[in-house]
Amino acid sequence: MLARILTEDGFLAESEAQGDEFILTEHNCAVNKVAQQFHQMCQCELTLISELLGADVERRQHIMGGDSCCSYVIRPLAPARKRSRTRCRNG
């Protein structure tokens, strides 16, 4: 469902299940021009995905880093792990 919403917003996203993990891939960056000036935008996206899904999210590929797409590994939170809230910050 998240991939569909991101695609509707211009990210050309897809997701694939791999065991108990999911791989989310964005083939386009709909906010590229803004992210070039404000690098914290990418961290905010990572935080948003994590908080929306209530999961651990790790970026594996990054368009702003020169990769051809942004890809994320999404894993369920470990039951005993306390979730820290990472906020988007300026600067």
Side-chain angles (χ1 to χ4, degrees):
M1 181 180 208
L2 179 58
R4 182 177 49 112
I5 293 168
L6 289 168
T7 292
E8 290 171 1
D9 286 340
F11 288 90
L12 301 175
E14 62 183 346
S15 63
E16 174 187 347
Q18 291 186 351
D20 61 347
E21 299 179 344
F22 285 86
I23 306 300
L24 175 67
T25 304
E26 299 172 340
H27 296 282
N28 183 54
C29 181
V31 295
N32 192 304
K33 292 202 184 276
V34 175
Q36 287 177 14
Q37 283 192 326
F38 302 98
H39 299 279
Q40 65 269 29
M41 184 111 177
C42 297
Q43 181 59 45
C44 289
E45 179 185 45
L46 190 69
T47 300
L48 177 67
I49 294 168
S50 177
E51 290 188 6
L52 281 173
L53 300 178
D56 281 326
V57 179
E58 175 189 351
R59 183 183 293 118
R60 290 278 174 93
Q61 293 177 289
H62 194 203
I63 291 172
M64 294 301 297
D67 293 316
S68 62
C69 64
C70 289
S71 69
Y72 304 90
V73 177
I74 301 167
R75 298 178 188 94
L77 287 175
R81 184 172 156 205
K82 288 187 178 179
R83 187 141 184 245
S84 65
R85 296 264 178 184
T86 304
R87 296 284 178 214
C88 297
R89 294 184 188 93
N90 290 332

